Each structure stands twice: as structure tokens, then as C-alpha cells.
Amino acid sequence: MKRVSATTLLLLAGLCLLIVQPAAAAEKVWIEAQGYVLYQDERGDMIRKNFTAYRDVLFPDKTKEIGYFLCEYERIISQIPVKDITSIRKDPMSKSVWIRANGKEYHAVITQDLSYALTNMKHVEMRYYNDITQREETGFILGLNLHEIHFTDTSRVAY
């Protein structure tokens, strides 16, 4: 009986390592960009939330670089540096987005949603200043609810 239990425990430990390994391989980095997002909450109200940084994630098997926005522009997969972007607005009826960067506006296409194109994740994790607690806090917004991202200060973006 002890032999079966030890073997079972070893198999379970191996499975746990296989599950944890892909998450451990991802590199998470805070991008020191300030701005605000417009998103729709569960009641359907549009909410504006200011942020001081957002978390980008680099997966080894993904092509998106840290600190870039991944989209298809003029039928070519493009990565636009966040430090050049002023705003990104989603077209609610399609997968199209309007990107304002370097004083010009571009019409592009994204494969999933705004958060995936920005962070490689289904949500945007961000740091923000909470006026009530008077502290920096961390929160996230699901990409499906995200409508616009505006960058007001990207001078400290290092990527």
C-alpha cells in the first residue's frame, strides 16, 4: 500500500510541475505608463479609471514584445511601441481599432480584444492611486469590457 501511495504522490507532483511550468516561463513586467481606460462595468455603465502603470506579460511562444501593442495594420502584423501611442479606441461593431500615435491616426485590426493586444492576457492588470485609501493599488479589467486606452505620460516607458 505504501508503494502505491508514494508512486501516486510522485505522479501528482509531476503533474503539478507541468501545470505550473508554462506560467513560470512567462515574464511579467510593469510598464510605467500613465493614462486612463474607459470600460463598461457589469451594470453597463461606462467607467473611467486612471492608471500609473500596467502589467505586460511575455510568453516565450508569443510574438508580441513587452511594451508594444500588437495589431494588423495594412495587412501586416505590426507592433507599435506604447511610448508612441496617445490613444487606442475599439470599434464596438468589429475587431477594428483606431490608434493615435506620433500625431497620426491609424485604422488597424486586432485578433482578440484590447487587453490581449496590449498585454498578451485576457485582462489588463494595472496600478492606480486610490483616493479613498490614499495608496497605490492593483486591479484588473477584463478585455471584453475595455473600450478605450489613453496614454497621458509614456516618458518612463523603457521598452
Side-chain angles (χ1 to χ4, degrees):
M1 186 70 168
K2 286 183 182 180
R3 181 178 234 172
V4 171
S5 297
T7 305
T8 304
L9 286 175
L10 284 173
L11 285 172
L12 287 174
L15 283 174
C16 288
L17 285 174
L18 287 175
I19 292 168
V20 173
Q21 185 180 6
E27 179 184 351
K28 295 183 177 184
V29 176
W30 283 107
I31 305 296
E32 301 292 329
Q34 294 182 14
Y36 64 93
V37 294
L38 294 176
Y39 67 98
Q40 196 167 17
D41 69 1
E42 58 276 352
R43 294 185 317 208
D45 297 332
M46 287 299 277
I47 307 292
R48 175 183 163 149
K49 185 168 215 76
N50 296 328
F51 62 89
T52 58
Y54 75 91
R55 175 121 31 189
D56 200 348
V57 182
L58 175 67
F59 292 101
D61 59 340
K62 304 279 182 166
T63 58
K64 193 188 95 53
E65 297 179 44
I66 288 182
Y68 287 78
F69 182 80
L70 182 66
C71 61
E72 183 179 310
Y73 175 65
E74 295 183 349
R75 300 178 192 253
I76 299 170
I77 300 296
S78 301
Q79 297 194 47
I80 303 171
V82 167
K83 60 185 172 187
D84 295 343
I85 298 174
T86 308
S87 67
I88 306 166
R89 292 185 335 264
K90 181 176 90 171
D91 179 358
M93 305 308 272
S94 69
K95 291 187 178 271
S96 297
V97 292
W98 291 98
I99 302 168
R100 181 167 289 285
N102 295 322
K104 298 178 184 174
E105 192 163 59
Y106 305 94
H107 183 251
V109 177
I110 53 177
T111 58
Q112 293 187 14
D113 55 41
L114 285 181
S115 67
Y116 185 81
L118 184 66
T119 69
N120 264 336
M121 300 283 281
K122 298 269 184 201
H123 64 278
V124 174
E125 186 176 350
M126 64 183 116
R127 278 196 316 238
Y128 60 93
Y129 183 76
N130 188 329
D131 291 326
I132 296 169
T133 62
Q134 297 186 355
R135 280 192 239 158
E136 287 271 324
E137 295 183 2
T138 303
F140 70 92
I141 298 171
L142 291 175
L144 296 173
N145 301 332
L146 199 56
H147 289 271
E148 295 182 25
I149 304 170
H150 297 263
F151 294 103
T152 56
D153 182 6
T154 55
S155 62
R156 296 187 331 188
V157 175
Y159 298 96

